[in-house]
Amino acid sequence: MLLGGNRMIEQFRSFVRGGSKPEKLTIADLDSSNIPAHVAVIMDGNGRWATRRGLPRVAGHHTGMKAVKRTAIAASDAGVKVLTMYAFSTENWVRPREEVEFLMKLPQEFFPLEIEELIEKNVRIRMTGWKEDLPDYTLEPVLDAIERTKHNTGLILNFALNYGSRKEMVHGIKELLADVQAGKLAPDQIDEKRFQAYLLTGDLPDPDLLIRTSGELRISNFMLWQLAYSELWFTNVFWPDFTEQHLYEAIYEYQRRKRRYGGL
């Protein structure tokens, strides 16, 4: 009886939400039965945030770390299962050396400061990307955080670090072909589901919702296969200014859409 009552309450809330959006959203304004399981975020605008304040670009990256923690905790509280943050792409290596070095040192600062609270929140850290190209001082704090949170059962906070989707797909194709050549897989066994298992995110659900900050309207070589049917939400807000309220707005908009997957 209680479960049925909860469903009726959520249906009523959903009906009410068909009208105007509340001025200030809270978790209570969201439909708890329709929370996106996987939210992916392109954290953009750190450099421009700093430049507009007369600060060096690296100051924006430093302040953006606080937005990572804010968003992770808000996503966990809202019921999101996986939060993938695009932290550093395979193309970002071409940025000025000083900026790249600063970005590579951020995990050294972020994880020691925030890991205890993330553990308390039952968050599990994960990394998607290529470890080989990362310096030891970047990789070690990430791997330590992964190890310390591996038994947690809450939100998966997945950092896409040294990640590029085209490289990921080419890598997956090579591994798939190697299995075919080794006789482990027949060509007629290859389908979309089989190929997806060869991607770095093969054991994660595809993102239901993609958020990109800073007003840019592109995907930037991020999870191209996985985003095939994701809902996209863009905001002009620079990443350091991204708050819980913006996450709730994105989820609220997601809940107002009808996902058709090619149907009517």
Side-chain angles (χ1 to χ4, degrees):
M1 184 66 182
L2 179 60
L3 290 175
N6 286 340
R7 290 194 188 98
M8 290 178 65
I9 291 171
E10 293 298 344
Q11 288 172 356
F12 177 73
R13 284 178 175 166
S14 180
F15 172 77
V16 171
R17 281 195 298 272
S20 59
K21 182 177 72 173
E23 185 175 341
K24 184 174 177 60
L25 285 166
T26 67
I27 289 179
D29 295 308
L30 304 177
D31 179 357
S32 62
S33 68
N34 188 26
I35 299 295
H38 186 172
V39 176
V41 183
I42 300 176
M43 305 178 288
D44 198 15
N46 290 336
R48 279 167 286 167
W49 179 92
T51 300
R52 290 190 180 186
R53 288 163 173 76
L55 301 170
R57 285 176 55 86
V58 294
H61 297 305
H62 188 273
T63 305
M65 289 195 304
K66 299 176 182 177
V68 171
K69 176 186 172 183
R70 269 198 311 267
T71 305
I73 292 175
S76 177
D77 291 344
V80 175
K81 303 301 182 186
V82 183
L83 180 66
T84 295
M85 316 286 264
Y86 203 7
F88 191 87
S89 78
T90 50
E91 290 76 31
N92 287 154
W93 293 105
V94 301
R95 291 188 176 189
R97 182 175 58 85
E98 296 79 7
E99 183 172 346
V100 170
E101 288 181 355
F102 184 88
L103 289 168
M104 289 294 105
K105 290 177 180 177
L106 285 180
Q108 282 182 319
E109 185 171 350
F110 177 79
F111 287 113
L113 284 174
E114 312 297 352
I115 191 64
E116 295 301 332
E117 186 170 358
L118 294 174
I119 290 173
E120 288 177 10
K121 289 287 185 179
N122 199 27
V123 171
R124 179 152 60 102
I125 305 299
R126 172 172 170 149
M127 175 188 157
T128 294
W130 280 268
K131 300 180 179 70
E132 297 79 9
D133 301 323
L134 296 173
D136 290 342
Y137 60 79
T138 302
L139 192 57
E140 287 174 3
V142 176
L143 295 179
D144 178 67
I146 291 171
E147 176 65 22
R148 293 181 63 186
T149 61
K150 66 181 181 181
H151 297 301
N152 289 354
T153 58
L155 173 79
I156 295 174
L157 178 54
N158 180 34
F159 289 97
L161 182 58
N162 193 30
Y163 169 85
S165 188
R166 288 183 173 181
K167 180 175 180 177
E168 175 190 31
M169 287 193 282
V170 170
H171 178 266
I173 290 169
K174 287 180 178 178
E175 288 203 328
L176 187 151
L177 288 175
D179 282 349
V180 170
Q181 291 173 345
K184 298 178 181 179
L185 185 68
D188 59 5
Q189 291 179 300
I190 300 172
D191 56 17
E192 292 181 11
K193 184 177 180 180
R194 180 81 63 171
F195 174 68
Q196 186 153 345
Y198 285 85
L199 298 178
L200 300 180
T201 60
D203 60 334
L204 295 176
D206 288 341
D208 300 294
L209 172 65
L210 170 72
I211 297 170
R212 179 165 188 156
T213 59
S214 88
E216 302 293 348
L217 306 178
R218 56 182 180 271
I219 298 177
S220 298
N221 194 24
F222 181 51
M223 303 183 86
L224 301 177
W225 176 278
Q226 299 91 330
L227 292 174
Y229 282 104
S230 302
E231 295 296 325
L232 311 182
W233 189 82
F234 300 98
T235 177
N236 291 327
V237 173
F238 292 139
W239 177 246
D241 289 330
F242 192 86
T243 66
E244 300 92 334
Q245 181 69 196
H246 298 113
L247 177 67
Y248 299 154
E249 287 180 12
I251 295 175
Y252 184 90
E253 173 60 28
Y254 166 86
Q255 293 180 344
R256 293 167 70 94
R257 300 180 187 179
K258 182 178 180 181
R259 304 182 74 189
R260 296 182 177 86
Y261 299 97
L264 297 179

